[in-house]
Amino acid sequence: MTRELHFFVNVGSSGYHPAAWREDDLPADAFIRLSHYRRTAEIAERGALDGLLFPDIPVQQPSIARAPAATLDPILLTSALAVSTERIGLIPTATTTLNRPYNLARRILSLDRISGGRAGWNVVTTFAPDAARNFGLHDLPEREERYRRAAEYVDLTLRLWDSWEDDAVIGDQAAGRFADPARVHAVDHDGEFYRVAGPLNVPRSPQGRPVLVQAGASGPGRSFAAAWAEAIYTTHLSLAGAQEFATEIRSAATASGRDPDAVRILPGLIPVLGSTEREAQAAFDRLQQRLHPDSDPVRSLAAWLGHPDEVLDLDAPLPPRLLTLPEGRIGPQGFFYSLTRYAAETGYTVRRLLTEFLGGHRVVAGTPDAVADHIEHWFRTGAVDGFTIIPAVLPASLADFVDQVVPLLRARGLFRREYTGTTLRHHLGLAEPSNSFAPALAAADRK
């Protein structure tokens, strides 16, 4: 089968750029209006994109004075959007560190049922100590332990999702037989971190299981992704880095007994469009100029690298001492390594880096043809299966992408013209997984 591109959309607040909320045609409180997200979903669905991914950090961000650094609960929001959309996938983020397995498994599967098989789960482990304190935790486990917990958590969740066989519901109203109890299974899990009896009280997913998405790019995060993820939302500024990442993930997936081609790698991409490259760059510069004075991009970049007191020279490359991960730095390691690798490879000045980098992801400012060229080039190398589009401003930047770039990709034979299925798993070209309890059931039936 011919490969085709896949696209998620990162849906956050008024857009990914910190100054997005200041756009004239956006109400300041757009980030808490359901109509704002409905409009975004309508545009994505019009473009036949695969799914909407909703980030979540369950803590109030300190930048609240300068931007609406707040989010609605992504599971509740996606549930609301399920009734106003028909095909687009819905992927809330939820942390394994701060949620109980049974409750989260039930909520995600409920979303999947409500949406007719369009749910995914973006699995994260949470690195923010302030978030932990909101849940009564004094400290978070170290990164390696968080991922060990997450592995047990996901394995348990999959078995909870499988606890009803596909044909467990009989539904014979005349005879009064609703379900076959022999086809509904307890999980009886007693592990290192969790004890859960089960079964879940929601029947199995219309798509087999909700799609597992993963967003970590540290060493433990990559190992976790190779073992469990069906789609990976990651960060890459360098094509060489993206190629190495894809090779590593697919090789590790094979070693874990998985099909390496059953993992969709979708790094973040921030497209900024204009009729000319100069016009596109001017649009990005205008957003940068609307930042609050306290959000100086140069100072923010230094702080993001873990050196808040560093004074960077705009017209010089990043100093070599800043290219090593500082001891004790808290935050996503994947973003750090992606940026510092790109800075070292290119030797670009800080000024140039700030035109291609925003909040951990690559900015491509140019004409629709130039953005389509970038997407096609990375896709054809095999480094990616598509991208997670990160609109700088919502919904305007997404509408630009859908109306100006997607038609070009369709004309090149790289992207679908319409949906051909109804589930997120079908959109992504992923097979429906077998039920983990099925072998035991088949053996029992043979006796």
Side-chain angles (χ1 to χ4, degrees), residues 41-249:
E42 288 168 2
I43 293 168
E45 200 162 54
R46 186 179 78 220
L49 307 186
D50 294 73
L52 304 173
L53 188 151
F54 293 80
D56 187 44
I57 299 178
V59 63
Q60 179 56 64
Q61 298 294 296
S63 56
I64 188 65
R66 305 184 297 273
T71 58
L72 298 176
D73 180 281
I75 297 179
L76 293 178
L77 179 54
T78 49
S79 297
L81 293 174
V83 300
S84 61
T85 56
E86 295 181 355
R87 299 292 186 91
I88 193 81
L90 301 166
I91 310 161
T93 297
T95 173
T96 59
T97 306
L98 306 176
N99 286 288
R100 302 302 298 173
Y102 186 95
N103 189 39
L104 183 57
R106 183 187 184 203
R107 292 166 68 200
I108 297 291
L109 187 54
S110 296
L111 170 64
D112 198 54
R113 276 288 171 185
I114 290 167
S115 64
R118 293 186 284 132
W121 170 28
N122 182 34
V123 184
V124 297
T125 63
T126 302
F127 60 83
D130 289 348
R133 287 191 282 273
N134 285 338
F135 290 79
L137 300 177
H138 180 68
D139 294 303
L140 286 170
E142 293 298 321
R143 188 182 303 269
E144 288 74 14
E145 181 180 327
R146 293 204 312 271
Y147 277 104
R148 201 167 76 251
R149 285 173 177 266
E152 181 181 336
Y153 194 117
V154 170
D155 179 63
L156 169 57
T157 297
L158 295 182
R159 288 191 290 128
L160 285 168
W161 284 345
D162 280 352
S163 57
W164 288 60
E165 292 289 332
D166 291 323
D167 54 358
V169 177
I170 299 170
D172 187 339
Q173 293 174 306
R177 294 189 66 209
F178 174 70
D180 181 355
R183 296 176 186 269
V184 180
H185 305 275
V187 298
D188 292 327
H189 178 83
D190 188 358
E192 181 182 1
F193 300 107
Y194 304 106
R195 296 180 65 186
V196 177
L200 210 59
N201 59 350
V202 181
R204 196 168 189 248
S205 163
Q207 58 178 336
R209 296 176 193 144
V211 174
L212 288 180
V213 181
Q214 195 267 350
S218 65
R222 293 183 183 207
S223 298
F224 181 84
W228 300 104
E230 296 173 288
I232 302 175
Y233 167 42
T234 183
T235 174
H236 292 299
L237 301 182
S238 157
L239 177 57
Q243 291 172 316
E244 289 179 13
F245 178 86
T247 299
E248 177 186 339
I249 290 294

Side-chain angles (χ1 to χ4, degrees), residues 305 318 322-324 335-345:
L305 288 168
L318 283 176
L322 302 190
L323 303 183
T324 301
F335 285 169
F336 178 90
Y337 290 127
S338 178
L339 173 61
T340 53
R341 173 180 180 145
Y342 189 63
E345 284 180 353

